[in-house]
Amino acid sequence: MHKRVTIGLGTAVAVLAAGGGVAMWPTAAPPAAAPALAVERTQPAVVPVAATTAAAPATTTTATARTPAGTSATTAPPAAKSRLRTLAVPERTAKKDLAQRATERFSLLGVTWSDPDDAPTGDIEVRTRSVATGEWTGWQPLEAADTGPDAAEAANPGRRGATEPLWVGPSDGVAARFAGGGELPSGLRLDLIDPGTSTGGQGGGEAEIGTSNVVTPPFPAYVSRTAWGADEKITGDVTIGTEVKVFWVHHTATTNDYTCAESAAIVRSIQTYDVTSKKLSDIGYNYLVDKCGTLFEGRKGGVQNAVVGAHTVGFNTGYAAVSVIGDYETATSNSAVEAKIAQLAANRLGTYGYDPTSTVTISPGVANDKYQTTDQLTVERLAGHRDADATLCPGANLYSRLPAIRVLTQQTVLGLALTSVTGGGSAGGAYYVKNRATLAWKLITPSADLARFDILVDGTVAGTVANTVRSASVAVPPGRHTVAVRGVSATTGSATVNATVHGDVTAPVFGKAVEVGLRTGTYSAAAVPVKASFTAKDNLKLTGLTVSKPKAATLGVTATSWSPSVKTGAVTYTVTARDLSGNTRASSASRTVVLSAETAAKRTGAWTKVTGKSHLGGKALSAKVKNRKLTWTFTGRSAALLFSRTAKSGKAAIYVDGKKITTVDLKASKTSYRQAVWTRDLKPGKHTVAVVVQATAGRPTVISDGLAYIR
């Protein structure tokens, strides 16, 4: 599409007459059990292969195909009421502008006239009023239609010339102007179409497409005529050919400003316009695709039959066409649209033994604006409408993508994708295993159309599995590798999906083995604060650190310590490092925590005994004279001095192995007992630790609760 009638504004502005004729096609609500899906399973979904047998001649047979393939033979009413209203244009008018007028609700419009061989010689422009906002649009041009039927359908009585339809969304007002120096064709009228709603409501509603309406492979997933609400009662006979030798790509040249939830209503409106306005037997296209890549069954007769359409003048019999909803002269296509066109073309051409990347020489069955019946042209089998007629269709942007779409058709194993790689872990888009990886995958192509799956490591086949299998295990040597699954078609072509997989049998290492020391805090026989310290690393990547003893704990991957509280006595500490491949290494240390009472210390000077259940062992020693000292001798590797702390507590000096280490202030606003205010990790061996009273002015007292150490 995209033939413009262009003469410039200024003359012969035609004004719509009020009270134009109205033609309506109301339909009953669908029965409760009406099928929502059409399923075709008799042919493979995609068979894009070179021809191996001679093609059958392009003869045709006529069939009254009122039943979409895969549905009941009983013609069910459509799921939505679609209505056409027409407003006749006076053959003569002196007005230069059209006064805006209210109408009943509609969503698509076009201009038609009596003789399909005639056409206005000027610009045709319309403006509409939005139901949602109440605002009027600017003037929008209508494109002269460049699609049409051949053969018997071209001779249908009552056929009308037409512009391409314009989707405007729910509207309730319209204005039109026809400008130019030429004469207007007779029978000129504006056709307004309300697609109705799939729920049977009163006009304007749009059927929303969901996954329940999509037909599954082997044919590419599509929305059936039943699902989008085709009106089978208004259609006529269609012709079934014997092959599809070229697959044409069109665009509807309508607005790109639609949501994909509106797509079914747009398709429904195009059908109504093609049948009731242009007087075709049915919607002209074999298939339609919206901008989200959703495929819609077009003309009736069966999605996998060579149905003769009314899409490419001179090239309808022995051909098929898909039209992408939108204007791709201005918009760009996307991967979803292109993938669906590729799948569809591969299926339709491959079914008849034609390679979608090959070319063919053809002649038109009837003359069009570009070729006569005596002309010969060589075209790609997957071609654009402009290759066959004088048109901009399918738009410059979509047309420029056809070479890439032809390449996509060769991916005969469609939709191949990895769903998981197991046997270890993943990070940064790569996978890590010890020595084996299990790959799982999915794809669109049915198993019946596949020969096998190859499993490759660095491009070399390491194993093969049957066409029905969807997972396999493969050996992965140490190092970084590309592991791939290659799906091989039963006919020709293949598709490959891969992943980066590291083979790794090297376990993490502990740069520093687990060692245990004492922490500050409150001490008791049941709870001694300790800290287990360590460092771990891996040749590739650590994934976690866990503790199994003395109790289970999960640590961060960068952790270098763990701080629990333990009972006194012998305790084993075990930390395990794990890498992404699942390799593990553990580090353990067994240590004994001892609480040594103050009475075990050697006293220098007089110390006073203090009793009370809050003290360690129920008693403590107190002194307030300067240089009073308690000295413990022990064999161990970590020590902590315990004190009672009060508001009157003073300072004490700490000595280790005869050397002063620090002075601690034991004053506290709140009285507390068995407090380790000083700890120190020591070189394993025999040591002395001493407390010396400093006789702080006004608060000279020091109360010792004993010593804790680890051996």
Side-chain angles (χ1 to χ4, degrees), residues 41 256 268 311 340 415 483 505 590 610 618 637:
R41 299 187 180 276
N256 301 308
R268 207 158 52 240
H311 43 74
K340 193 55 58 83
V483 179
V505 294
S590 294
V610 180
R637 59 185 68 224

mmCIF file of all heavy atoms in Angstrom, residues 41 256 268 311 340 415 483 505 590 610 618 637:
data_model
loop_
_atom_site.group_PDB
_atom_site.id
_atom_site.type_symbol
_atom_site.label_atom_id
_atom_site.label_comp_id
_atom_site.label_asym_id
_atom_site.label_seq_id
_atom_site.Cartn_x
_atom_site.Cartn_y
_atom_site.Cartn_z
ATOM 1 N N ARG A 41 -2.263 -29.470 12.470
ATOM 2 C CA ARG A 41 -1.148 -30.329 12.849
ATOM 3 C C ARG A 41 -0.791 -31.337 11.755
ATOM 4 O O ARG A 41 -0.084 -32.285 11.999
ATOM 5 C CB ARG A 41 -1.467 -31.083 14.141
ATOM 6 C CG ARG A 41 -1.708 -30.160 15.312
ATOM 7 C CD ARG A 41 -1.856 -30.934 16.599
ATOM 8 N NE ARG A 41 -2.093 -30.043 17.718
ATOM 9 C CZ ARG A 41 -1.146 -29.423 18.395
ATOM 10 N NH1 ARG A 41 0.097 -29.580 18.063
ATOM 11 N NH2 ARG A 41 -1.456 -28.629 19.407
ATOM 12 N N ASN A 256 0.421 3.681 13.158
ATOM 13 C CA ASN A 256 1.231 2.896 14.094
ATOM 14 C C ASN A 256 0.806 3.141 15.535
ATOM 15 O O ASN A 256 1.318 2.500 16.455
ATOM 16 C CB ASN A 256 2.712 3.273 13.934
ATOM 17 C CG ASN A 256 3.205 3.032 12.524
ATOM 18 O OD1 ASN A 256 3.052 1.953 11.980
ATOM 19 N ND2 ASN A 256 3.784 4.062 11.909
ATOM 20 N N ARG A 268 -10.542 -7.284 12.497
ATOM 21 C CA ARG A 268 -11.994 -7.412 12.304
ATOM 22 C C ARG A 268 -12.516 -6.280 11.420
ATOM 23 O O ARG A 268 -13.350 -6.488 10.530
ATOM 24 C CB ARG A 268 -12.660 -7.388 13.674
ATOM 25 C CG ARG A 268 -13.971 -8.115 13.762
ATOM 26 C CD ARG A 268 -14.322 -8.511 15.182
ATOM 27 N NE ARG A 268 -14.275 -7.429 16.137
ATOM 28 C CZ ARG A 268 -13.490 -7.409 17.209
ATOM 29 N NH1 ARG A 268 -12.660 -8.422 17.426
ATOM 30 N NH2 ARG A 268 -13.523 -6.401 18.050
ATOM 31 N N HIS A 311 -4.544 -9.508 -2.640
ATOM 32 C CA HIS A 311 -3.546 -8.649 -2.012
ATOM 33 C C HIS A 311 -2.574 -8.020 -2.988
ATOM 34 O O HIS A 311 -2.150 -6.884 -2.804
ATOM 35 C CB HIS A 311 -2.756 -9.448 -0.962
ATOM 36 C CG HIS A 311 -2.356 -10.811 -1.395
ATOM 37 N ND1 HIS A 311 -1.347 -11.040 -2.309
ATOM 38 C CD2 HIS A 311 -2.853 -12.045 -1.060
ATOM 39 C CE1 HIS A 311 -1.215 -12.333 -2.510
ATOM 40 N NE2 HIS A 311 -2.115 -12.989 -1.772
ATOM 41 N N LYS A 340 8.471 -13.517 13.043
ATOM 42 C CA LYS A 340 7.206 -14.144 12.653
ATOM 43 C C LYS A 340 7.084 -14.211 11.135
ATOM 44 O O LYS A 340 6.615 -15.223 10.582
ATOM 45 C CB LYS A 340 6.037 -13.386 13.270
ATOM 46 C CG LYS A 340 4.709 -14.130 13.179
ATOM 47 C CD LYS A 340 4.761 -15.542 13.772
ATOM 48 C CE LYS A 340 5.175 -15.582 15.217
ATOM 49 N NZ LYS A 340 4.119 -15.348 16.147
ATOM 50 N N GLY A 415 13.539 -21.058 17.447
ATOM 51 C CA GLY A 415 13.321 -20.836 18.872
ATOM 52 C C GLY A 415 14.213 -21.638 19.788
ATOM 53 O O GLY A 415 13.903 -21.782 20.975
ATOM 54 N N VAL A 483 30.429 -24.452 25.195
ATOM 55 C CA VAL A 483 29.623 -25.674 25.115
ATOM 56 C C VAL A 483 28.324 -25.320 24.399
ATOM 57 O O VAL A 483 27.676 -24.325 24.739
ATOM 58 C CB VAL A 483 29.348 -26.243 26.515
ATOM 59 C CG1 VAL A 483 28.500 -27.500 26.420
ATOM 60 C CG2 VAL A 483 30.671 -26.555 27.213
ATOM 61 N N VAL A 505 38.405 -28.310 38.650
ATOM 62 C CA VAL A 505 38.457 -29.340 39.687
ATOM 63 C C VAL A 505 39.349 -28.911 40.843
ATOM 64 O O VAL A 505 39.618 -29.700 41.749
ATOM 65 C CB VAL A 505 38.960 -30.683 39.102
ATOM 66 C CG1 VAL A 505 37.958 -31.236 38.096
ATOM 67 C CG2 VAL A 505 40.327 -30.505 38.458
ATOM 68 N N SER A 590 40.534 -27.319 66.776
ATOM 69 C CA SER A 590 39.939 -27.743 68.054
ATOM 70 C C SER A 590 40.639 -26.986 69.180
ATOM 71 O O SER A 590 41.873 -27.051 69.313
ATOM 72 C CB SER A 590 40.101 -29.254 68.255
ATOM 73 O OG SER A 590 39.356 -29.963 67.282
ATOM 74 N N VAL A 610 35.233 -10.893 97.707
ATOM 75 C CA VAL A 610 33.870 -10.396 97.474
ATOM 76 C C VAL A 610 33.037 -11.583 97.018
ATOM 77 O O VAL A 610 33.461 -12.359 96.167
ATOM 78 C CB VAL A 610 33.843 -9.289 96.405
ATOM 79 C CG1 VAL A 610 32.421 -8.799 96.178
ATOM 80 C CG2 VAL A 610 34.757 -8.139 96.797
ATOM 81 N N GLY A 618 30.841 -17.235 91.888
ATOM 82 C CA GLY A 618 30.207 -16.706 93.102
ATOM 83 C C GLY A 618 31.106 -15.844 93.958
ATOM 84 O O GLY A 618 30.706 -15.412 95.044
ATOM 85 N N ARG A 637 46.921 -19.549 73.986
ATOM 86 C CA ARG A 637 47.157 -18.745 72.785
ATOM 87 C C ARG A 637 46.282 -17.495 72.710
ATOM 88 O O ARG A 637 46.412 -16.703 71.769
ATOM 89 C CB ARG A 637 46.949 -19.595 71.533
ATOM 90 C CG ARG A 637 45.561 -20.182 71.427
ATOM 91 C CD ARG A 637 45.449 -21.114 70.209
ATOM 92 N NE ARG A 637 46.237 -22.319 70.356
ATOM 93 C CZ ARG A 637 46.997 -22.830 69.390
ATOM 94 N NH1 ARG A 637 47.099 -22.212 68.223
ATOM 95 N NH2 ARG A 637 47.665 -23.939 69.586
#
